[in-house]
Amino acid sequence: MTRSPVFPYPFLSSLSAGNWRHLAACAGADGEIFFSDDQAASSGAQRLCDACPVVRECGAYAEEAPERFGVWGGMTARQRGWNPAGVRNRGRRGEAA
């Protein structure tokens, strides 16, 4: 028998891993804005995340995966502690090393 993962957010505890994605504000959006080098596109992606009901789950996924590029959970890769080469900075979530 397989066990369901434990979710850090009780209000979504009934969802299985990854099922939160269909509730995301970005579902059906142009994915290119989330992986663009253009600051305006990244800002647009982050604004979409501002209204997202599963932004915390998305951010938690990005940390666990780990997603080294793109906007996840309302944060850019740099804000999550990744440099442009996809290498984790010593400090996490944009902290100075």
Side-chain angles (χ1 to χ4, degrees), residues 46 74-82 92-95:
Q46 288 178 299
M75 295 179 287
T76 65
R78 184 173 298 276
Q79 290 170 324
R80 293 192 318 274
W82 296 96
R92 293 186 68 187
R93 292 191 184 266
E95 299 170 5

Side-chain angles (χ1 to χ4, degrees), residues 24-82:
C26 64
D30 180 4
E32 292 207 17
I33 68 169
F34 294 91
F35 296 93
S36 176
D37 290 332
D38 178 46
Q39 182 62 38
S42 291
S43 293
Q46 288 178 299
R47 280 193 303 279
L48 191 57
C49 295
D50 287 344
C52 185
V54 292
V55 68
R56 293 186 297 173
E57 288 71 22
C58 181
Y61 163 79
E63 285 294 314
E64 185 178 316
E67 288 290 347
R68 300 177 298 160
F69 304 100
V71 173
W72 291 88
M75 295 179 287
T76 65
R78 184 173 298 276
Q79 290 170 324
R80 293 192 318 274
W82 296 96

